[in-house]
Amino acid sequence: MTMSATPFLRPLSQLEFRKCPFLSSKPHFHPHLLRFHSKPTIRASSALSLESGLSTQNDQAIQEDVFACPICYEPLIRKGPYGLNISAVYRSGFKCKRCNKFYSSKERYLDLTVTAGMRDYSEVQPARTELFRSPLVSFLYERGWRQNFRQSGFPGPDEEFRAAQEYFESSKGGLLVDVSCGSGLFSRKFAKSGSYSGVIALDFSENMLRQCYDFIKKDDTLSTANIALVRADVSRLPFSSGSVDAVHAGAALHCWPSPSNAVAEITRVLRSGGKFVGTTFLRYTSSTPWIIRPFRERSPQGYGYLTEDEIEDLCTSTGLTNYSSKIQQSYIMFTAEKP
């Protein structure tokens, strides 16, 4: 069959893309984002089957995405505008090519929980999880709540961010996921730094993500930033194994229902050489008088405060290496690396 035998096999230079707003004769590619798509070409048969499952416009591009299905961890197929930013993700539809589950954005965040789209089933979460889903707590988090952490030794967001950036030096230029991001206090700082090809602000709380979006919307410096808002469970992260360069978890570990499952998931999604940096409250330190320690074994709020030895054990037992930490009163910042 010759090239002229069918219009579908014309040379690429003769094709016209005027009807598609996302393809032109002078495409604007972002090289630093190309790493998100390990398999950018989708076979025609896959595209046709996807066509019936996604509700976005017919002229939008279809490609494998940085996000993965939280059920089977297969990369999701996106139909919509290219880019890792709030606008592009919001206007896209996502579908798993293995289990056919469909995911979409809701109120500017993409819901990638296992229960996304369920109508009748709901799960009862631990009290500490439900607390941060409260609209009041989400509103107050950066308006007084977080400032109280200084009493326990937290140095403040600016210093915490500076220290985290030092740990993430080798991960700059890659994809950073801020798990349990809350109202996006650090997600916004990472995005504005310009150090990463993309930043994903990830939290289980719908109201925290809404609050994060409100802050982003009011900050002109973030209008074109590569930042996306995702609702997900830290124990079921929606990314393929070995696809993330850096994971940050600020004041979060003590809130997780199962820190061991969460750290195992973080280890799974990190690339070789990827860094995990976290901060949390310690149950007690080596300087805490022995007579006080029994009273700190159980928190009345149900938080899972750990000791430094327990945190190190969590990291090393899941395969992370090069663990180190900094402690100030009850505050700890720790880091570990995927070998």
Side-chain angles (χ1 to χ4, degrees):
M1 181 180 295
T2 64
M3 186 67 73
S4 60
T6 170
F8 299 107
L9 295 178
R10 283 181 295 167
L12 187 61
S13 61
Q14 297 178 14
L15 294 179
E16 297 181 358
F17 298 108
R18 289 192 296 270
K19 295 182 180 180
C20 180
F22 307 105
L23 297 173
S24 67
S25 60
K26 297 180 179 180
H28 301 285
F29 289 109
H30 301 279
H32 57 283
L33 287 177
L34 292 179
R35 67 186 304 164
F36 293 162
H37 305 289
S38 58
K39 300 177 182 178
T41 304
I42 307 300
R43 291 181 298 178
S45 59
S46 299
L48 290 173
S49 62
L50 182 66
E51 190 82 28
S52 61
L54 297 178
S55 58
T56 50
Q57 296 180 3
N58 292 332
D59 61 353
Q60 293 178 327
I62 299 175
Q63 68 270 332
E64 281 194 2
D65 208 75
V66 61
F67 303 118
C69 176
I71 297 174
C72 56
Y73 296 138
E74 281 289 324
L76 295 177
I77 303 300
R78 179 198 293 207
K79 186 177 184 186
Y82 180 85
L84 190 68
N85 57 70
I86 292 176
S87 177
V89 173
Y90 178 71
R91 294 160 58 199
S92 298
F94 299 83
K95 186 176 181 181
C96 177
K97 58 185 178 182
R98 173 170 291 182
C99 67
N100 292 321
K101 188 173 177 68
F102 176 72
Y103 302 91
S104 63
S105 292
K106 181 180 181 182
E107 301 180 54
R108 298 296 176 178
Y109 65 81
L110 175 62
D111 193 340
L112 292 179
T113 58
V114 173
T115 57
M118 292 186 180
R119 298 178 180 179
D120 301 318
Y121 175 77
S122 61
E123 289 183 334
V124 178
Q125 300 294 331
R128 60 181 178 271
T129 301
E130 291 301 314
L131 175 67
F132 290 99
R133 297 178 75 185
S134 161
L136 178 61
V137 173
S138 301
F139 178 81
L140 292 176
Y141 191 75
E142 290 188 44
R143 299 177 175 92
W145 185 291
R146 190 52 162 76
Q147 287 81 343
N148 288 327
F149 291 6
R150 287 184 178 273
Q151 299 176 14
S152 298
F154 277 68
D158 290 340
E159 177 58 25
E160 293 170 52
F161 170 70
R162 185 199 63 77
Q165 283 286 79
E166 290 182 359
Y167 284 130
F168 285 140
E169 185 65 35
S170 62
S171 299
K172 290 181 178 179
L175 175 66
L176 182 145
V177 179
D178 189 17
V179 298
S180 297
C181 68
S183 56
L185 176 62
F186 291 99
S187 304
R188 303 194 307 273
K189 289 179 179 292
F190 286 126
K192 286 199 286 188
S193 73
S195 300
Y196 308 95
S197 58
V199 174
I200 296 176
L202 183 149
D203 204 283
F204 188 76
S205 168
E206 304 92 327
N207 283 305
M208 283 293 190
L209 293 169
R210 293 183 187 112
Q211 188 64 68
C212 183
Y213 174 71
D214 287 343
F215 282 127
I216 291 174
K217 187 171 59 174
K218 295 174 183 176
D219 190 338
D220 293 337
T221 63
L222 289 171
S223 59
T224 58
N226 291 319
I227 182 171
L229 307 184
V230 174
R231 181 173 184 247
D233 185 345
V234 69
S235 294
R236 199 78 186 175
L237 292 173
F239 306 102
S240 298
S241 299
S243 63
V244 174
D245 296 278
V247 175
H248 177 260
L253 187 146
H254 58 279
C255 299
W256 295 340
S258 175
S260 60
N261 285 347
V263 175
E265 268 294 90
I266 289 169
T267 303
R268 180 186 67 80
V269 303
L270 278 174
R271 300 181 189 274
S272 177
K275 295 290 185 64
F276 171 36
V277 174
T279 61
T280 188
F281 297 89
L282 291 173
R283 187 161 74 243
Y284 52 75
T285 67
S286 57
S287 61
T288 304
W290 67 270
I291 196 170
I292 297 178
R293 296 187 182 188
F295 297 98
R296 296 189 179 178
E297 289 296 331
R298 292 291 181 181
S299 168
Q301 294 85 15
Y303 294 119
Y305 299 130
L306 303 178
T307 66
E308 182 190 12
D309 290 341
E310 288 175 325
I311 294 172
E312 181 176 4
D313 194 26
L314 267 179
C315 293
T316 57
S317 66
T318 57
L320 296 176
T321 60
N322 296 329
Y323 175 89
S324 66
S325 65
K326 298 177 182 178
I327 297 175
Q328 182 174 302
Q329 296 176 243
S330 297
Y331 161 81
I332 181 173
M333 171 174 273
F334 61 92
T335 182
E337 181 178 335
K338 178 77 170 287

